[in-house]
Amino acid sequence: MNRIDKLFKSKREGILNIYFTAGFPRLNQTAEIIKYLAEAGVDMIEIGIPFSDSLADGPTIQQSNEKALANGMNLKIIFEQLKNIRQSIDIPLILMGSLNPIMQFGINEFCKKCKETGIDGVIIPDLPFSEYIEDYKKTFDKYGIYNIFLITPQTSGDRIKKTDTASKGFIYMVSSSSTTGIKSKIEKSQEEYFKRINRMNLKNPKLIGFGISDNKSFLKACQYANGVVIGSAFIKALSSSKANLKTTINNFVNEIKRTNCCIV
Amino acid sequence: MTYNTDKKGYYGKFGGAYIPEMLHANIEVLKNNYKKITEAKNFQKEYRQLLKDYAGRPTPLYFASRLSEHFKTNVFLKREDLCHTGAHKINNTIGQILLAKKLNKTRIIAETGAGQHGVATATVCALMNMKCIVYMGETDMKRQMPNVERMKMLGAEVVPVYSGNKTLKDATNEAIRDWINNPEAYYLIGSVVGPHPYPEIVAGFQSIISEELKIQMKEKTGNENPDCIIACIGGGSNAAGIFYHYLKNKKVKLIAAEAAGKGIHSGFSAATSVLGKPGILHGSKTLIMQNEDGQITEPYSISAGLDYPGIGPLHAHLFDIKRVKFISITDNQALKAALFLTRMEGIIPALETAHALACLGKIKFTKKEKVVINLSGRGDKDLEAYIKFIKNKKQPQIHR
């Protein structure tokens, strides 16, 4: 069974999925960051493939991309660094990135490497739904790699239903019309959108991403979905912390998951 | 062979709409409505009227006698430099601002390289009383200062972009990101690039250039077909416009002049036809300059308008099927050609255009052949580069 399905089978709420850019802040910390995140109790991890011109990203993740590329990161190195990751890590691992680096790597080779490495799913924001179905799905299915689709406040009801039918694993619910890391809290209008989606009774679990940055937004989003994705806030923590990597990651995750906060 | 997009928005292997889901709804609205809107009688009437009375069309077709004599052929210049705002860019911005109006949009976003599209956008926004935000790389803001000041004077907000090489590619990224964050806005793209249907929309509005050229050639020579048409290409909007109505007529040779910068393989170049590979940039599959990891290579050209690591998907297709021949022109060749035109015909061309002019020295034409060059823009914005070049040369190389 795909580890993503396994996770949602055993846990239906409060799922925490953390994104980080591979190669940031240093080239050789990918496996280490994954290990500390898993130890800190994160449920799922998104490993970002850096790209020079990522359209969906705000300044924080753009800068982490730039740094990672300057450090020499590429897909080949990511797979090399993750070669033995499944010897110690059992939570779902997802690769996220723009289409061009994956396309140049070769779709078949990419999916094959994902399977060999133990990657469970992929998020490619600029790969359109229709192109995926026509040109990519066959290869993804062949290697058992889940392609995770995004929906946004602008996505029509019909398209959401279509997406739900074609989805495996979970649906990534973009919380607002924005690039990553622009908003840091959840507003009333967004809650209306979450409620509208919940009334649709989709078959797939949902994770809310974009604009989740702290304990408050985490708890709020968890009321409307199975969990959240946090990216920019974690990248910021990695860049600004003076503590060692392990402590930084532990502190960040503990603060997000803190339950003694009663103001929701 | 077709030169329009197929049902899915591709020109052959190139094109499509590779955009994040956040932009999907906006692109759908555009895709489903733009033809209906732009082909409507009242739209065409308003568009044509503005082109005539406001932009100053039709632009003249000028027989350049001294240039012709020198190159021992017949050189015609399509004078897009005489358009309002000084370049062909206004053909597209007038069309798109009317389209934006029909879609009830009031906030306009644009990217600009040389600043010509930025100025043309700021101009029509002033005309239509719309809010205008122009993204421009910091490098380009410095080298095209007069255009920055013009945009500001026209009431536009010019937002400097500091990412990448701080040029057109980076400005386009930021414009698209702005659109993701402000989906109620209209993105007024300046070239035949971006997700489908933008390349088709822009090519359509620029096709007025070849529409006029056919009539003017017929008047001047008795034949609507020249033997050859030359245009410079960054994203490729002026080339798309002057090629458009000749694409099906294989007797007309089409040549695109791209920027070789300091030399094709110098590491400082924007010669996409030589250095590019199929990939995804700014929402479309096209030829782009990239490294083996699929990271976009920073392009270089002295000309801000050609300093782009890709070409529009239509041009990638035309290159692929060998309908258009690409010629690479270095900074120096362009500068020389600009100076040469200035002294021979009394016309100071834009640096972008100078790349097309430089082709005259690289291709041998016969005495009988008729060659049209799209004089896409005027050179006032490039005076600084020209002055520097002349100073360094001491004596410009002019053949008299």
Side-chain angles (χ1 to χ4, degrees), chain A residues 50-57 62 66 69 73-74 99-101 103-104 125-128 131 134 136 150-152 154-155 159 174 177-179 182 210, chain B residues 8 10 16-22 24-25 163-164 169-170 173-174 176-177 180-181 183 277-283 285 288 290 292-296:
Chain A
F51 181 51
S52 52
D53 296 81
S54 161
L55 294 180
D57 284 316
Q62 275 175 52
E66 250 172 63
L69 291 173
M73 185 48 91
N74 62 30
L99 180 56
N100 199 49
M103 199 175 171
Q104 304 309 324
D126 60 343
L127 172 59
E131 260 76 3
E134 272 179 47
Y136 294 79
L150 273 58
I151 61 170
T152 78
Q154 270 83 37
T155 310
R159 190 169 165 86
V174 177
S177 315
S178 75
T179 44
I182 299 297
F210 290 48
Chain B
K8 285 158 43 193
Y10 286 80
Y18 292 83
I19 41 158
E21 182 62 25
M22 290 76 106
H24 181 264
S163 55
K169 168 187 81 109
D170 314 294
N173 286 339
E174 276 316 309
I176 295 175
R177 287 175 190 136
I180 290 175
N181 284 289
K277 279 186 302 181
I280 309 283
L281 181 67
H282 297 147
K285 186 189 275 183
I288 50 180
Q290 52 185 315
E292 57 175 20
D293 295 333
Q295 306 298 340
I296 311 305

Side-chain angles (χ1 to χ4, degrees), chain A residues 23-73:
Chain A
F24 175 86
R26 276 185 279 278
L27 181 64
N28 289 316
Q29 289 178 326
T30 312
E32 218 178 335
I33 291 174
I34 292 171
K35 186 172 152 243
Y36 294 146
L37 280 170
E39 281 173 9
V42 162
D43 301 293
M44 195 187 312
I45 297 169
E46 268 175 40
I47 304 150
I49 307 161
F51 181 51
S52 52
D53 296 81
S54 161
L55 294 180
D57 284 316
T60 304
I61 294 183
Q62 275 175 52
Q63 280 153 21
S64 71
N65 278 340
E66 250 172 63
K67 183 79 204 300
L69 291 173
N71 287 342
M73 185 48 91

Side-chain angles (χ1 to χ4, degrees), chain B residues 242-259:
Chain B
I242 200 159
F243 293 166
Y244 199 90
H245 291 289
Y246 289 103
L247 285 171
K248 285 183 183 155
N249 186 346
K250 296 242 172 85
K251 280 187 204 139
V252 182
K253 274 184 283 181
L254 304 176
I255 291 172
E258 61 183 0

